[in-house]
């Protein structure tokens, strides 16, 4: 009988999951993965095998009133049924914010959960949704260990200067500082580099997680020294619907002169800006790349421009650049975006190999390129599973 862990990544209306069998000393082996989405409206459950074949699918009409509890219960029943005689040994959660105190993965006790609840104001759009399933499962399956894995954790090694805003010291001491996010993704990339390209991993690398949320991480010898997201997941790059770095004076102007409420500004910054706001068309990169609307082209151009601009800043922090890694939905699947970014990084020593970029796997820079550019698909759920195994057995 093998043991297994379930990795959960819960958002406001969806829960992504991946079930892994533990096969030590090897890394956990994916058994199946999928999601429950449409939570709160018309929920749908889907599970796929590692090759992408649909194993199970179920949907409920709007108004059927499936609660979070029922949907999570159904997911656990599916996982246990799928495992047969193998046993679910624990559940790992992606928790967006660990604050100043939590960076290593940790068992979710009532005291830890209470401490993580106090961080909700720092990530109001993510943290409550990450923690909700923990509470539900603690009540329904009190004997099943749960582990928190923090998206801020990997950035714990950031240089102290990189964590500071130029604000009065007292605010920094009260937690108003830069934390960074997408840490599980960057930790996976750092591990993949160490395993496949150890010389590069030991050098100065910028990794670009370009999904709906987007950020860059500057890594020296596989550790985060700075990143583009800060106090919240709003800072830094332009994203699907988020604006990224913006003159804070704009926010004052919108509220003081244009009479926008705080809620309206929040909605603008998180949901109506970025690729969607600039294109006026979509937050989906596929739609923008397929469009002949000049506003779509401008949104894509600005996305690449901002990545190149922030990369230059991080290269300055690193004192040079040996490698650049593209990952997540856009990074792994959008050759035109990679080409636009690399074209702007030529002065840093980036030389793209167009044929390799079109293939989109492994090294995509020429052999002569001073900076080695790679495409490496990320796997945050695998990272959660590894941490959960280590924490359960630690
Ligand atoms: P999330 O941050 O929600 O996990 P993903 O990492 O899945 O997001 O990335 C979503 C983004 O990736 C979307 O903008 C989507 O359009 C883009 N994307 C996915 N596949 C492709 C593709 N083949 N070509 C271009 N963009 C793609």
């Amino acid at each position: 009988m093998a043991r297994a862990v379930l990795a959960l990544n819960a958002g406001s209306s969806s829960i992504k999951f991946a079930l892994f069998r533990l096969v030590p000393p090897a890394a956990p082996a994916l058994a199946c993965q999928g999601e429950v989405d449409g939570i709160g409206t018309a929920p749908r459950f889907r599970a796929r095998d590692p090759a992408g074949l649909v194993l199970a699918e179920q949907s409920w009409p709007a108004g059927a009133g499936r609660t979070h509890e029922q949907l999570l219960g159904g997911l656990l029943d599916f996982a246990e049924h799928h495992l047969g005689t193998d046993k679910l040994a624990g559940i790992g959660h992606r928790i967006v914010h660990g604050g100043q105190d939590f960076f290593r993965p940790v068992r979710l006790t009532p005291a830890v959960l209470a401490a993580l609840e106090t961080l909700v104001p720092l990530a109001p759009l993510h943290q409550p949704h990450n923690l909700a399933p923990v509470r539900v499962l603690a009540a329904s399956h009190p004997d099943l260990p749960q582990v928190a894995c923090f998206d801020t954790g990997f950035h714990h090694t950031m240089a102290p200067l990189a964590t500071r805003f130029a604000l009065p010291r007292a605010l920094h001491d009260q937690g108003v500082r830069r934390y960074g996010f997408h840490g599980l993704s960057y930790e996976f990339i750092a591990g993949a580099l160490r395993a496949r390209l150890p010389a590069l991993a030991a050098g100065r690398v910028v990794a670009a997680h370009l999904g709906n949320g987007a950020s860059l991480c500057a890594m020296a010898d596989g550790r985060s020294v700075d990143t583009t997201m800060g106090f919240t997941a709003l800072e830094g790059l332009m994203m699907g619907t988020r604006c990224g770095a913006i003159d804070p004076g704009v926010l004052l102007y919108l509220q003081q002169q244009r009479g926008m409420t705080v809620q309206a500004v929040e909605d603008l910054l998180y949901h109506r800006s970025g690729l969607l706001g600039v294109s006026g068309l979509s937050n989906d990169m596929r739609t923008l790349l397929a469009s002949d609307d000049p506003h779509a082209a401008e949104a894509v151009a600005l996305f690449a421009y901002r990545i190149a601009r922030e990369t230059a800043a991080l290269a300055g922090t690193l004192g040079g650049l040996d490698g650049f890694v593209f990952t997540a939905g856009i990074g792994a699947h959008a050759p035109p975006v990679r080409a636009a970014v690399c074209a702007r990084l030529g002065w840093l020593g980036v030389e793209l190999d167009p044929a390799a970029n079109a293939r989109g796997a492994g090294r995509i820079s020429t052999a002569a390129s001073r900076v080695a550019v790679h495409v490496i698909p990320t796997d945050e759920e695998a990272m959660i599973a590894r941490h959960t195994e280590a924490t359960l057995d630690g």
Side-chain angles (χ1 to χ4, degrees), residues 2 234 236:
L234 271 184

Side-chain angles (χ1 to χ4, degrees), residues 16 211-213 283-286 289 328-330 333-334:
K16 290 187 197 161
N212 279 313
N283 63 321
D284 191 315
M285 186 55 85
R286 281 167 292 204
L289 290 173
I330 297 171
H333 300 296

Side-chain angles (χ1 to χ4, degrees), residues 1 12 65 137 232 255 384:
M1 185 180 77
S12 58
L137 292 168
T232 66
Q255 290 172 79
I384 295 172

Side-chain angles (χ1 to χ4, degrees), residues 106 119 136 145 204 216 281 299 305 351 356 359 374 376:
V106 61
L119 301 173
V136 168
R204 302 159 296 182
L216 304 178
L281 184 68
Y305 173 82
E351 194 181 280
R359 285 195 300 277
H374 287 260
I376 302 179

Side-chain angles (χ1 to χ4, degrees), residues 172-393:
H172 178 89
D173 297 341
Q174 290 159 20
V176 184
R177 43 156 284 186
R178 304 186 65 248
Y179 294 94
F181 300 91
H182 288 142
L184 292 164
S185 174
Y186 291 128
E187 193 178 2
F188 181 87
I189 297 296
L193 282 176
R194 246 192 323 273
R196 296 181 219 167
L197 302 156
L200 188 58
R204 302 159 296 182
V205 174
V206 168
H209 179 109
L210 308 177
N212 279 313
S215 71
L216 304 178
C217 178
M219 299 192 279
D221 196 13
R223 289 156 166 260
S224 171
V225 295
D226 200 354
T227 185
T228 55
M229 281 180 172
F231 179 63
T232 66
L234 271 184
E235 200 190 3
L237 302 182
M238 173 182 180
M239 310 182 205
T241 60
R242 287 172 248 167
C243 60
I246 185 170
D247 176 351
V250 173
L251 313 184
L252 299 176
Y253 166 79
L254 292 175
Q255 290 172 79
Q256 291 170 340
Q257 308 301 325
R258 302 282 290 264
M260 283 178 76
T261 62
V262 173
Q263 285 73 24
V265 172
E266 177 183 274
D267 183 51
L268 176 77
L269 300 182
Y270 276 98
H271 302 303
R272 297 199 289 122
S273 299
L275 293 171
L276 174 65
V278 175
S279 70
L281 184 68
S282 172
N283 63 321
D284 191 315
M285 186 55 85
R286 281 167 292 204
T287 307
L288 300 184
L289 290 173
S291 167
D292 54 12
D293 182 336
H295 294 164
E298 187 174 38
V300 176
L302 182 58
F303 187 76
Y305 173 82
R306 295 281 293 262
I307 294 167
R309 190 169 176 261
E310 294 286 338
T311 301
L314 293 177
T317 297
L318 289 168
L321 193 64
D322 303 309
F324 189 96
V325 176
F326 286 100
T327 196
I330 297 171
H333 300 296
V337 175
R338 294 195 298 255
V341 171
C342 288
R344 288 188 174 277
L345 296 178
W347 65 276
L348 262 173
V350 170
E351 194 181 280
L352 191 69
D353 175 341
N357 184 40
R359 285 195 300 277
R363 183 168 172 135
I364 59 168
S365 53
T366 63
S369 182
R370 274 208 314 282
V371 176
V373 184
H374 287 260
V375 174
I376 302 179
T378 193
D379 194 340
E380 289 155 299
E381 283 75 23
M383 211 61 240
I384 295 172
R386 285 186 219 168
H387 283 315
T388 303
E389 177 180 28
T391 306
L392 292 179
D393 297 344

Side-chain angles (χ1 to χ4, degrees), residues 63-250:
R66 298 295 291 183
T67 63
H68 229 88
E69 284 82 350
Q70 288 169 322
L71 293 167
L72 266 169
L75 172 54
L76 242 69
D77 289 346
F78 169 81
E80 278 167 347
H81 182 257
H82 187 79
L83 287 173
T85 55
D86 295 341
K87 183 175 162 21
L88 192 60
I91 299 187
H93 297 265
R94 177 189 186 191
I95 305 290
V96 75
H97 221 305
Q100 316 233 55
D101 298 329
F102 295 99
F103 48 96
R104 287 197 191 88
V106 61
R107 271 286 271 274
L108 277 153
T109 62
V112 170
L113 187 55
L116 295 178
E117 301 269 10
T118 68
L119 301 173
V120 163
L122 298 187
L125 301 187
H126 295 99
Q127 192 88 339
H129 305 297
N130 300 160
L131 297 180
V134 178
R135 247 178 281 108
V136 168
L137 292 168
S140 64
H141 295 71
D143 297 329
L144 197 55
Q146 300 193 69
V147 173
C149 305
F150 300 103
D151 234 7
T152 46
F154 185 67
H155 302 297
H156 183 68
T157 52
M158 269 205 297
L161 274 185
T163 68
R164 252 182 209 281
F165 292 117
L167 286 170
R169 305 192 73 81
L171 281 171
H172 178 89
D173 297 341
Q174 290 159 20
V176 184
R177 43 156 284 186
R178 304 186 65 248
Y179 294 94
F181 300 91
H182 288 142
L184 292 164
S185 174
Y186 291 128
E187 193 178 2
F188 181 87
I189 297 296
L193 282 176
R194 246 192 323 273
R196 296 181 219 167
L197 302 156
L200 188 58
R204 302 159 296 182
V205 174
V206 168
H209 179 109
L210 308 177
N212 279 313
S215 71
L216 304 178
C217 178
M219 299 192 279
D221 196 13
R223 289 156 166 260
S224 171
V225 295
D226 200 354
T227 185
T228 55
M229 281 180 172
F231 179 63
T232 66
L234 271 184
E235 200 190 3
L237 302 182
M238 173 182 180
M239 310 182 205
T241 60
R242 287 172 248 167
C243 60
I246 185 170
D247 176 351
V250 173

